Amino acid sequence: MRNDWTREEISKIYHSPLMDLIYRGATVHREYHDPSEVQVCTLLSIKTGGCPEDCAYCPQAARYQTDVDVHRLLDVDEVLEKARNAKINGSTRFCMGAAWREVRDNRDFDKVVDMVKGVSQMDMEVCCTLGMLTDQQAERLKEAGLYAYNHNLDTSEEHYGEIISTRTYDDRLNTLENVRNADISVCSGGIIGMGESDEDRIGMLHTLATLPKHPESVPVNALVPVEGTPLEEQPRVSVWEMVRMIATARIIMPKAMVRLSAGRVMMSQEEQAMCFLAGANSIFAGDKLLTTPNPEVNEDEQLFQTLNLKPRQSYKDQKQPIEA
Ligand code: SAM
Ligand code: DTB
Ligand code: SF4
């Protein structure tokens, strides 16, 4: 495991001839993971819209006119019911997202802590993405049974200011440090297709791969352009760009789960297969991500059947198999 990758080394990998890059990504993938397995995760937006931040890609920012259904924090019981369904449908990771700038120590946070406790008792990896966290809040989530925390760098430090002005890259890195210090598994990646250059993509991967410890999970999202957001007119990213990102992430962070995240609705089965070949080993299932569409469950079942892929079992690495 290397944490001393240079930008030049990463750039060389990223720009290598595509077939060589895919071959190398696939090779590293096979050394560290079972390539027939894909982890299936479910997302739930527990608090939707009305966010004070200005992330240019995000339909949940209050300042953009989008047709997101704004909703206060869901009740604990409703969330636990959705988690049970996710498990029945084969998910081994349940991720709860809130359109918050940061966690505040209030009754809503108490409710989220209860949700975390409930889901962790279901033998699923429980993940949250709630915005910025202090070290105490991270500790509290850990005690409640939180397995992972998602907090994306989204893009390079250089490009960050073009996308978000209401917080800094250092704020992001600081939360990641708080999560790591609380011994919570780190999930951090980004979005491509926001007008960034190849250099920006390489820069983001460089930051992730040179953290003191690699994130256990690296989501690679393709921008889902949403009407009303500043990025609504961005052209769709090509699958080759997704493949380059995925393979490079796989090569430089071999043990990480590389998640083919937002943007699958825009991809054919062949394109998704190429991403799995390049080293992606996880997807979000269910017809909705947080607020935007995702492929239907039966389409994914068909995809898995066609490619002979199988959903990864829960807590596999911890050797705590669960009954179905
Ligand atoms: N508010 C918290 C935060 O920003 O960390 C958590 C929720 S936020 C919606 C989680 C992530 O979703 C963002 O960091 C971003 O990477 C991703 N995301 C949001 N809108 C997206 C879009 N239109 N296309 C692709 N990814 C998106
Ligand atoms: C991540 O990197 N992708 C997921 C998860 N982390 C939280 C979210 C994608 C959201 C896409 C836009 C939406 O559905 O609102
Ligand atoms: Fe708010 Fe998160 Fe959306 Fe940014 S990405 S506007 S912080 S919900």
Side-chain angles (χ1 to χ4, degrees):
M1 241 19 70
R2 281 189 52 193
N3 297 70
D4 61 350
W5 292 101
T6 64
R7 250 180 123 114
E8 292 65 40
E9 283 174 317
I10 297 175
S11 174
K12 213 171 146 203
I13 296 170
Y14 180 91
H15 287 296
S16 58
L18 193 70
M19 296 304 134
D20 291 344
L21 179 60
I22 294 173
Y23 182 75
R24 191 167 165 197
T27 306
V28 173
H29 188 184
R30 274 152 185 74
E31 275 168 32
Y32 289 86
H33 304 268
D34 176 348
S36 69
E37 283 189 348
V38 171
Q39 186 181 28
V40 179
C41 315
T42 296
L43 275 172
L44 176 67
S45 182
I46 56 171
K47 188 268 171 181
T48 310
C51 181
E53 300 285 86
D54 70 350
C55 312
Y57 49 77
C58 188
Q60 303 199 66
R63 66 192 75 201
Y64 311 135
Q65 294 300 313
T66 63
D67 68 0
V68 158
D69 283 330
V70 177
H71 202 288
R72 63 177 175 79
L73 188 67
L74 297 179
D75 285 328
V76 179
D77 288 346
E78 187 177 350
V79 171
L80 296 186
E81 182 60 34
K82 301 250 191 210
R84 266 188 289 274
N85 281 335
K87 186 174 172 178
I88 291 166
N89 287 322
S91 279
T92 58
R93 183 156 166 134
F94 189 72
C95 179
M96 300 178 276
W100 287 335
R101 169 184 162 77
E102 75 240 313
V103 169
R104 304 244 170 98
D105 296 301
N106 57 17
R107 297 223 325 257
D108 275 356
F109 186 39
D110 298 342
K111 273 171 86 173
V112 172
V113 166
D114 287 342
M115 293 170 192
V116 169
K117 282 185 187 152
V119 179
S120 74
Q121 283 164 9
M122 292 178 201
D123 274 325
M124 275 193 292
E125 295 177 5
V126 50
C127 176
C128 281
T129 181
L130 313 169
M132 292 185 271
L133 276 188
T134 64
D135 47 359
Q136 287 101 334
Q137 290 163 343
E139 287 290 342
R140 199 169 157 211
L141 287 166
K142 172 73 187 181
E143 277 162 27
L146 190 74
Y147 182 84
Y149 195 80
N150 165 253
H151 201 65
N152 290 337
L153 291 180
D154 282 336
T155 189
S156 67
E157 183 162 17
E158 294 77 15
H159 191 61
Y160 204 73
E162 303 286 318
I163 303 296
I164 299 151
S165 77
T166 49
R167 57 168 188 255
T168 65
Y169 215 61
D170 277 343
D171 290 333
R172 277 326 247 187
L173 291 168
N174 192 26
T175 292
L176 289 179
E177 197 180 317
N178 292 340
V179 171
R180 181 55 86 202
N181 288 341
D183 206 20
I184 295 169
S185 174
V186 171
C187 173
S188 189
I191 308 177
I192 64 169
M194 304 194 295
E196 73 287 341
S197 62
D198 285 336
E199 267 311 302
D200 290 315
R201 295 177 187 170
I202 292 160
M204 181 186 84
L205 290 172
H206 179 246
T207 306
L208 292 170
T210 54
L211 289 171
K213 200 170 164 215
H214 294 164
E216 284 78 8
S217 159
V218 179
V220 180
N221 296 278
L223 175 75
V224 181
V226 178
E227 211 182 310
T229 62
L231 297 181
E232 64 180 353
E233 303 281 8
Q234 280 296 316
R236 202 199 116 156
V237 296
S238 100
V239 66
W240 308 122
E241 300 173 86
M242 281 300 268
V243 164
R244 269 192 201 282
M245 278 304 276
I246 289 169
T248 308
R250 167 57 64 225
I251 294 163
I252 62 178
M253 295 173 278
K255 283 190 179 166
M257 299 298 292
V258 176
R259 302 189 196 276
L260 172 57
S261 304
R264 285 199 306 120
V265 263
M266 303 178 279
M267 296 170 77
S268 68
Q269 295 209 334
E270 292 83 348
E271 290 174 334
Q272 295 180 60
M274 193 73 79
C275 293
F276 295 132
L277 180 62
N281 58 352
S282 172
I283 57 165
F284 288 109
D287 59 3
K288 209 151 97 178
L289 290 163
L290 289 170
T291 66
T292 64
N294 197 43
E296 300 285 338
V297 173
N298 62 350
E299 284 176 59
D300 282 340
E301 276 168 8
Q302 205 191 48
L303 175 69
F304 275 42
Q305 244 176 35
T306 308
L307 304 179
N308 300 118
L309 290 173
K310 50 182 194 276
R312 181 186 200 241
Q313 290 214 322
S314 193
Y315 287 105
K316 200 176 168 220
D317 293 339
Q318 287 77 42
K319 308 248 180 312
Q320 281 182 303
I322 47 142
E323 64 284 9

